[in-house]
């Protein structure tokens, strides 16, 4: 969707609508057009060796189609570099309609829609 002249992508994550500007913080790619996948988690033994990998569908990620940076779909935080994150917009769903209520500067805390 377009809001205030900015392209914004909408995702439904665990029943909550999340909105991000469609601009990757890496090199400006159309990040919201990337795939949304389950997060791959490593299972470690007591020696910190990987013994298994599993997909955690409850914590999906968005993969930027340009260079593959991966972002937490709920918060916008980059999985491999927490210093960068997607610019989040505050989204509110009312009566089956989604309203964008302004952009945030930093991702909201997990489970919160308070993006500022
Ligand atoms: S522009 Fe998104 S990973 Fe490079």
């Amino acid at each position: 969707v377009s809001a205030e002249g900015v392209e914004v992508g909408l995702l439904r994550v665990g029943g909550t609508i999340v909105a991000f500007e469609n601009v990757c913080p890496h090199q400006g790619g159309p990040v919201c057009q990337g795939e949304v996948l389950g997060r791959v988690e490593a299972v470690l033994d007591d020696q910190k060796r990987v013994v298994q990998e599993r997909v955690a569908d409850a914590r999906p990620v968005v993969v930027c189609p340009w260079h593959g940076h991966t972002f937490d779909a709920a918060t916008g935080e980059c999985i491999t570099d927490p210093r960068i994150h997607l610019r989040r917009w505050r989204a509110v769903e009312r009566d089956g309609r989604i309203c964008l209520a302004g952009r945030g500067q930093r991702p909201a805390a997990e489970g919160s829609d308070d993006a500022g």
Side-chain angles (χ1 to χ4, degrees), residues 23-31 63-71 84:
V23 178
C24 179
H26 178 231
Q27 291 184 2
V31 64
V63 182
C64 180
W66 279 13
H67 310 104
H69 278 11
T70 304
F71 300 88
I84 64 173

Side-chain angles (χ1 to χ4, degrees), residues 20-89:
F20 297 111
E21 281 188 21
N22 190 24
V23 178
C24 179
H26 178 231
Q27 291 184 2
V31 64
C32 296
Q33 295 172 18
E35 288 192 74
V36 178
L37 305 170
R39 180 190 306 236
V40 176
E41 295 179 334
V43 178
L44 307 177
D45 66 12
D46 56 356
Q47 302 289 312
K48 305 278 188 206
R49 294 177 298 212
V50 176
V51 294
Q52 180 186 0
E53 290 184 336
R54 63 182 176 211
V55 176
D57 288 328
R59 297 290 310 271
V61 295
V62 179
V63 182
C64 180
W66 279 13
H67 310 104
H69 278 11
T70 304
F71 300 88
D72 186 301
T75 66
E77 182 175 286
C78 183
I79 300 300
T80 54
D81 186 351
R83 295 172 300 170
I84 64 173
H85 54 84
L86 303 179
R87 181 166 291 185
R88 186 170 174 171
W89 281 58

